[in-house]
Amino acid sequence: MADLKPVYLVCGDDDVKIDAWRSRVKARAEQDSGQGTLEQHEASGMTPDALAADLAALTFATGTRYMLVDGVETWKAAQLDPLERAVADMPPETILVLIARGKAQARLGKAVEKAGGEVREY
């Protein structure tokens, strides 16, 4: 099984490829940690500062923690400071996948890459 990076930003207009990513993340989370272990959020209900706080929160889950946030294209650049700090210091055994339908904030892509993550544009 391939090693995973701590954070991914998947963005673009190809909904088929983006949805395939979502499916693979869900399957990987279930394979590694059991059914229902993928924490899924919509960006409209999870602001960057709330996500940063959630990443820092202790969890009682065993194994790798998988988090997916869809719709991050709605986040504004001015909101990203707390999240940039959080991804720079990702908790161990945590995988964060951010999905932007269309274009994501350039700052978000830079923060992901700086944290040793990967940006996938489709």
Side-chain angles (χ1 to χ4, degrees):
M1 210 178 300
D3 286 337
L4 295 174
K5 303 207 183 271
V7 60
Y8 293 88
L9 173 61
V10 182
C11 56
D13 296 323
D14 192 331
D15 288 336
V16 172
K17 287 185 179 176
I18 291 172
D19 289 342
W21 253 89
R22 287 179 60 94
S23 295
R24 284 193 304 272
V25 169
K26 182 178 181 184
R28 178 73 183 253
E30 289 179 357
Q31 180 182 355
D32 286 357
S33 303
Q35 190 170 359
T37 56
L38 174 62
E39 298 176 39
Q40 297 183 69
H41 303 279
E42 289 294 324
S44 59
M46 175 70 76
T47 61
D49 59 331
L51 177 56
D54 199 23
L55 285 168
L58 293 175
T59 178
F60 294 108
T62 58
T64 303
R65 179 182 187 195
Y66 289 86
M67 298 178 72
L68 184 143
V69 182
D70 202 344
V72 301
E73 72 278 0
T74 62
W75 290 344
K76 306 295 182 218
Q79 297 175 289
L80 297 177
D81 288 339
L83 185 58
E84 287 175 324
R85 289 188 297 274
V87 299
D89 190 27
M90 284 288 288
E93 300 295 318
T94 300
I95 308 297
L96 174 63
V97 178
L98 304 169
I99 296 180
R101 307 285 177 159
K103 215 157 175 62
Q105 288 290 334
R107 279 182 65 184
L108 192 54
K110 289 177 185 174
V112 167
E113 289 174 339
K114 187 175 178 184
E118 189 174 308
V119 176
R120 292 285 183 102
E121 196 166 335
Y122 297 107

